[in-house]
PDB file of all heavy atoms in Angstrom:
ATOM      1  N   PHE A1090      68.075  -6.714  33.923  1.00  0.00           N
ATOM      2  CA  PHE A1090      68.897  -6.321  35.054  1.00  0.00           C
ATOM      3  C   PHE A1090      67.970  -5.896  36.188  1.00  0.00           C
ATOM      4  O   PHE A1090      66.829  -5.485  35.970  1.00  0.00           O
ATOM      5  CB  PHE A1090      69.870  -5.191  34.688  1.00  0.00           C
ATOM      6  CG  PHE A1090      69.204  -3.919  34.209  1.00  0.00           C
ATOM      7  CD1 PHE A1090      68.909  -2.896  35.103  1.00  0.00           C
ATOM      8  CD2 PHE A1090      68.884  -3.746  32.870  1.00  0.00           C
ATOM      9  CE1 PHE A1090      68.308  -1.722  34.671  1.00  0.00           C
ATOM     10  CE2 PHE A1090      68.278  -2.573  32.422  1.00  0.00           C
ATOM     11  CZ  PHE A1090      67.986  -1.560  33.325  1.00  0.00           C
ATOM     12  N   ALA A1091      68.463  -6.011  37.424  1.00  0.00           N
ATOM     13  CA  ALA A1091      67.665  -5.661  38.598  1.00  0.00           C
ATOM     14  C   ALA A1091      68.609  -5.205  39.707  1.00  0.00           C
ATOM     15  O   ALA A1091      69.776  -5.601  39.749  1.00  0.00           O
ATOM     16  CB  ALA A1091      66.827  -6.854  39.076  1.00  0.00           C
ATOM     17  N   TRP A1092      68.076  -4.365  40.599  1.00  0.00           N
ATOM     18  CA  TRP A1092      68.888  -3.859  41.706  1.00  0.00           C
ATOM     19  C   TRP A1092      67.997  -3.544  42.900  1.00  0.00           C
ATOM     20  O   TRP A1092      66.787  -3.324  42.767  1.00  0.00           O
ATOM     21  CB  TRP A1092      69.667  -2.603  41.291  1.00  0.00           C
ATOM     22  CG  TRP A1092      68.793  -1.484  40.793  1.00  0.00           C
ATOM     23  CD1 TRP A1092      68.437  -1.232  39.496  1.00  0.00           C
ATOM     24  CD2 TRP A1092      68.145  -0.475  41.579  1.00  0.00           C
ATOM     25  NE1 TRP A1092      67.607  -0.136  39.431  1.00  0.00           N
ATOM     26  CE2 TRP A1092      67.424   0.358  40.697  1.00  0.00           C
ATOM     27  CE3 TRP A1092      68.110  -0.189  42.946  1.00  0.00           C
ATOM     28  CZ2 TRP A1092      66.665   1.437  41.144  1.00  0.00           C
ATOM     29  CZ3 TRP A1092      67.363   0.896  43.391  1.00  0.00           C
ATOM     30  CH2 TRP A1092      66.665   1.701  42.484  1.00  0.00           C
ATOM     31  N   THR A1093      68.605  -3.514  44.062  1.00  0.00           N
ATOM     32  CA  THR A1093      67.923  -3.070  45.274  1.00  0.00           C
ATOM     33  C   THR A1093      68.946  -2.403  46.180  1.00  0.00           C
ATOM     34  O   THR A1093      70.140  -2.738  46.143  1.00  0.00           O
ATOM     35  CB  THR A1093      67.237  -4.243  46.007  1.00  0.00           C
ATOM     36  OG1 THR A1093      66.515  -3.740  47.139  1.00  0.00           O
ATOM     37  CG2 THR A1093      68.248  -5.260  46.484  1.00  0.00           C
ATOM     38  N   ARG A1094      68.467  -1.453  46.979  1.00  0.00           N
ATOM     39  CA  ARG A1094      69.365  -0.715  47.878  1.00  0.00           C
ATOM     40  C   ARG A1094      68.594  -0.353  49.132  1.00  0.00           C
ATOM     41  O   ARG A1094      67.480   0.176  49.070  1.00  0.00           O
ATOM     42  CB  ARG A1094      69.884   0.559  47.218  1.00  0.00           C
ATOM     43  CG  ARG A1094      70.938   1.318  48.036  1.00  0.00           C
ATOM     44  CD  ARG A1094      71.366   2.566  47.300  1.00  0.00           C
ATOM     45  NE  ARG A1094      72.523   3.200  47.886  1.00  0.00           N
ATOM     46  CZ  ARG A1094      72.489   4.070  48.900  1.00  0.00           C
ATOM     47  NH1 ARG A1094      71.308   4.380  49.443  1.00  0.00           N
ATOM     48  NH2 ARG A1094      73.586   4.613  49.368  1.00  0.00           N
ATOM     49  N   GLY A1095      69.173  -0.667  50.285  1.00  0.00           N
ATOM     50  CA  GLY A1095      68.567  -0.320  51.558  1.00  0.00           C
ATOM     51  C   GLY A1095      69.480   0.581  52.356  1.00  0.00           C
ATOM     52  O   GLY A1095      70.711   0.496  52.247  1.00  0.00           O
ATOM     53  N   ALA A1096      68.899   1.472  53.170  1.00  0.00           N
ATOM     54  CA  ALA A1096      69.688   2.391  53.983  1.00  0.00           C
ATOM     55  C   ALA A1096      69.024   2.562  55.341  1.00  0.00           C
ATOM     56  O   ALA A1096      67.793   2.606  55.454  1.00  0.00           O
ATOM     57  CB  ALA A1096      69.828   3.745  53.290  1.00  0.00           C
ATOM     58  N   LEU A1097      69.842   2.654  56.379  1.00  0.00           N
ATOM     59  CA  LEU A1097      69.390   2.920  57.733  1.00  0.00           C
ATOM     60  C   LEU A1097      70.021   4.219  58.218  1.00  0.00           C
ATOM     61  O   LEU A1097      71.253   4.361  58.194  1.00  0.00           O
ATOM     62  CB  LEU A1097      69.792   1.779  58.673  1.00  0.00           C
ATOM     63  CG  LEU A1097      69.140   0.414  58.439  1.00  0.00           C
ATOM     64  CD1 LEU A1097      69.773  -0.627  59.358  1.00  0.00           C
ATOM     65  CD2 LEU A1097      67.638   0.487  58.672  1.00  0.00           C
ATOM     66  N   HIS A1098      69.188   5.164  58.636  1.00  0.00           N
ATOM     67  CA  HIS A1098      69.653   6.449  59.152  1.00  0.00           C
ATOM     68  C   HIS A1098      69.265   6.538  60.627  1.00  0.00           C
ATOM     69  O   HIS A1098      68.080   6.447  60.968  1.00  0.00           O
ATOM     70  CB  HIS A1098      69.022   7.609  58.387  1.00  0.00           C
ATOM     71  CG  HIS A1098      69.398   7.646  56.941  1.00  0.00           C
ATOM     72  ND1 HIS A1098      70.326   8.532  56.433  1.00  0.00           N
ATOM     73  CD2 HIS A1098      68.993   6.887  55.888  1.00  0.00           C
ATOM     74  CE1 HIS A1098      70.456   8.329  55.137  1.00  0.00           C
ATOM     75  NE2 HIS A1098      69.658   7.334  54.780  1.00  0.00           N
ATOM     76  N   ARG A1099      70.244   6.724  61.485  1.00  0.00           N
ATOM     77  CA  ARG A1099      69.959   6.826  62.909  1.00  0.00           C
ATOM     78  C   ARG A1099      69.325   8.177  63.229  1.00  0.00           C
ATOM     79  O   ARG A1099      69.356   9.118  62.420  1.00  0.00           O
ATOM     80  CB  ARG A1099      71.244   6.661  63.718  1.00  0.00           C
ATOM     81  CG  ARG A1099      71.754   5.229  63.751  1.00  0.00           C
ATOM     82  CD  ARG A1099      72.777   5.058  64.847  1.00  0.00           C
ATOM     83  NE  ARG A1099      72.212   5.366  66.167  1.00  0.00           N
ATOM     84  CZ  ARG A1099      72.928   5.394  67.293  1.00  0.00           C
ATOM     85  NH1 ARG A1099      74.215   5.126  67.261  1.00  0.00           N
ATOM     86  NH2 ARG A1099      72.348   5.677  68.437  1.00  0.00           N
ATOM     87  N   ALA A1100      68.779   8.293  64.427  1.00  0.00           N
ATOM     88  CA  ALA A1100      68.162   9.546  64.856  1.00  0.00           C
ATOM     89  C   ALA A1100      69.211  10.653  64.925  1.00  0.00           C
ATOM     90  O   ALA A1100      70.376  10.409  65.277  1.00  0.00           O
ATOM     91  CB  ALA A1100      67.504   9.362  66.216  1.00  0.00           C
ATOM     92  N   LYS A1101      68.781  11.858  64.575  1.00  0.00           N
ATOM     93  CA  LYS A1101      69.632  13.031  64.728  1.00  0.00           C
ATOM     94  C   LYS A1101      69.352  13.625  66.107  1.00  0.00           C
ATOM     95  O   LYS A1101      68.354  14.315  66.323  1.00  0.00           O
ATOM     96  CB  LYS A1101      69.308  14.045  63.625  1.00  0.00           C
ATOM     97  CG  LYS A1101      70.064  15.365  63.724  1.00  0.00           C
ATOM     98  CD  LYS A1101      71.533  15.201  63.452  1.00  0.00           C
ATOM     99  CE  LYS A1101      72.220  16.564  63.393  1.00  0.00           C
ATOM    100  NZ  LYS A1101      73.678  16.445  63.208  1.00  0.00           N
ATOM    101  N   ASP A1102      70.230  13.306  67.077  1.00  0.00           N
ATOM    102  CA  ASP A1102      69.982  13.730  68.450  1.00  0.00           C
ATOM    103  C   ASP A1102      70.939  14.819  68.922  1.00  0.00           C
ATOM    104  O   ASP A1102      70.961  15.159  70.119  1.00  0.00           O
ATOM    105  CB  ASP A1102      70.066  12.530  69.402  1.00  0.00           C
ATOM    106  CG  ASP A1102      71.372  11.757  69.245  1.00  0.00           C
ATOM    107  OD1 ASP A1102      72.292  12.270  68.581  1.00  0.00           O
ATOM    108  OD2 ASP A1102      71.466  10.639  69.794  1.00  0.00           O
ATOM    109  N   ASP A1103      71.734  15.376  68.001  1.00  0.00           N
ATOM    110  CA  ASP A1103      72.630  16.476  68.355  1.00  0.00           C
ATOM    111  C   ASP A1103      72.469  17.614  67.350  1.00  0.00           C
ATOM    112  O   ASP A1103      73.393  17.958  66.617  1.00  0.00           O
ATOM    113  CB  ASP A1103      74.081  16.000  68.410  1.00  0.00           C
ATOM    114  CG  ASP A1103      74.539  15.389  67.095  1.00  0.00           C
ATOM    115  OD1 ASP A1103      73.677  15.062  66.252  1.00  0.00           O
ATOM    116  OD2 ASP A1103      75.762  15.260  66.889  1.00  0.00           O
TER     117      ASP A1103
END
Side-chain angles (χ1 to χ4, degrees):
F1090 60 93
W1092 57 267
T1093 184
R1094 186 181 191 275
L1097 294 174
H1098 297 257
R1099 287 196 60 185
K1101 176 68 173 177
D1102 53 12
D1103 58 344

